[in-house]
């Protein structure tokens, strides 16, 4: 389960710089053994959504052969607006070839190009952000309430969702139970974390408060069915 969490659906964990340095050492040793760099791709669209006064550190700070991908869609809560970048290390020998390959893929897919308006707006987008403190308070409210009900949840250090364990084995079926209570969640099976479900923190405070009784009622229904 640990590998699945880390690879498929992160818990919103922020790693300390010393741990990233340890990872960098492992990758540098592997690069030396194989005689060519092992490139690390660090997908960082949540790097500005950080809670509890933590500091985000990119693996690029500890390992030079890191490529960074970033999307403004998460920071602006507009994931459908495909605008972002890929940053390659200046020491990368095939840097220009990689850039050309990316451009070709953008042409091939079509949708991978941001529209012209977004390209012109990127300077302004860089200065914008959602209210991270408000989302942190919403995280605390959701996690505290669900744990008090008896749910097992994650406590994200960043990102804009909370994962909770379904009280029955079938997380898709439990999502249906929640839907009958007018609560919509994403079953973990969809993102390869079966047995869990994802709760978005992007809803308004009013929507969160309106949904919490539904979580309690769904849990009671699931427990009653299993007795």
């Amino acid at each position: 389960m640990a590998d699945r969490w880390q690879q498929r659906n992160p818990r919103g964990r922020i790693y300390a710089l010393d741990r990233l340095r340890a990872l960098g050492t492992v990758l540098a040793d592997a690069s030396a053994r194989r005689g060519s760099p092992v490139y690390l791709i660090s997908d960082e669209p949540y790097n500005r959504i950080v809670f509890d006064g933590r500091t985000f550190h990119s693996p690029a700070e500890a390992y030079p052969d890191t490529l960074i991908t970033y999307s403004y869609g998460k920071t602006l809560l507009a994931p459908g607006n495909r605008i972002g970048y890929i940053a390659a290390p200046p020491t990368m020998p095939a840097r220009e070839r990689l850039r050309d390959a990316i451009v070709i893929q953008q042409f091939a897919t079509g949708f991978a190009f941001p529209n012209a308006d977004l390209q012109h707006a990127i300077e302004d987008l860089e200065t914008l952000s959602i209210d991270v403190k408000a989302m942190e308070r919403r995280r605390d409210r959701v996690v505290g309430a669900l744990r008090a009900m008896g749910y097992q949840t994650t406590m994200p250090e960043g990102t804009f969702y909370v994962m909770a364990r379904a009280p029955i084995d079938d997380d898709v079926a439990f999502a249906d139970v929640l839907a009958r209570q007018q609560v919509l969640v994403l079953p973990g099976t969809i993102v390869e974390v079966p047995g869990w479900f994802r709760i978005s923190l992007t809803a308004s405070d009013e929507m969160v408060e309106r949904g919490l009784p539904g979580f309690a009622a769904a849990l009671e229904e699931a427990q009653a069915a299993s007795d």
Side-chain angles (χ1 to χ4, degrees):
M1 177 59 75
D3 289 343
R4 182 172 290 167
W5 272 117
Q6 294 169 12
Q7 295 173 11
R8 303 297 185 186
N9 201 41
R11 302 181 67 173
R13 178 77 179 275
I14 297 175
Y15 290 102
L17 188 55
D18 58 350
R19 188 162 186 183
L20 295 176
R21 286 172 176 152
L23 172 63
T25 298
V26 171
L27 294 175
D29 291 344
S31 297
R33 288 195 301 272
R34 71 194 299 264
S36 60
V38 174
Y39 286 102
L40 173 66
I41 299 176
S42 181
D43 189 28
E44 303 181 3
Y46 294 100
N47 65 15
R48 303 182 191 186
I49 306 175
V50 179
F51 302 144
D52 307 313
R54 291 180 171 85
T55 299
F56 171 82
H57 291 283
S58 170
E61 298 177 51
Y63 183 64
D65 293 319
T66 299
L67 291 89
I68 296 174
T69 61
Y70 181 77
S71 167
Y72 290 95
K74 300 298 190 292
T75 307
L76 303 178
L77 290 188
N81 291 325
R82 301 294 183 179
I83 182 71
Y85 57 79
I86 298 176
T91 55
M92 183 178 182
R95 195 164 181 259
E96 293 185 0
R97 190 171 63 186
L98 173 65
R99 181 197 61 197
D100 293 342
I102 292 170
V103 172
I104 290 172
Q105 288 300 313
Q106 287 180 300
F107 277 118
T109 58
F111 66 84
F113 272 117
N115 63 52
D117 289 341
L118 285 173
Q119 292 184 52
H120 285 294
I122 194 166
E123 184 176 356
D124 295 325
L125 296 180
E126 182 65 27
T127 66
L128 302 177
S129 175
I130 57 174
D131 188 339
V132 176
K133 283 296 183 183
M135 193 166 293
E136 181 180 327
R137 292 193 298 270
R138 204 169 294 137
R139 175 208 61 175
D140 293 343
R141 174 62 175 144
V142 169
V143 169
L146 264 62
R147 288 183 175 179
M149 295 175 196
Y151 285 96
Q152 178 185 347
T153 77
T154 60
M155 186 64 164
E157 299 169 355
T159 197
F160 53 53
Y161 53 79
V162 170
M163 296 295 295
R165 183 183 288 279
I168 59 177
D169 292 338
D170 191 339
D171 54 281
V172 176
F174 187 67
D176 290 338
V177 176
L178 285 168
R180 292 197 293 271
Q181 297 294 334
Q182 305 299 307
V183 176
L184 300 181
V185 300
L186 182 72
T189 295
I190 294 176
V191 287
E192 302 186 40
V193 190
W196 293 72
F197 59 91
R198 191 167 84 175
I199 307 164
S200 175
L201 298 176
T202 62
S204 67
D205 292 340
E206 180 185 1
M207 292 170 67
V208 169
E209 294 301 328
R210 193 166 64 240
L212 289 176
F215 283 105
L219 182 60
E220 290 178 5
E221 181 179 336
Q223 291 172 338
S226 63
D227 290 342

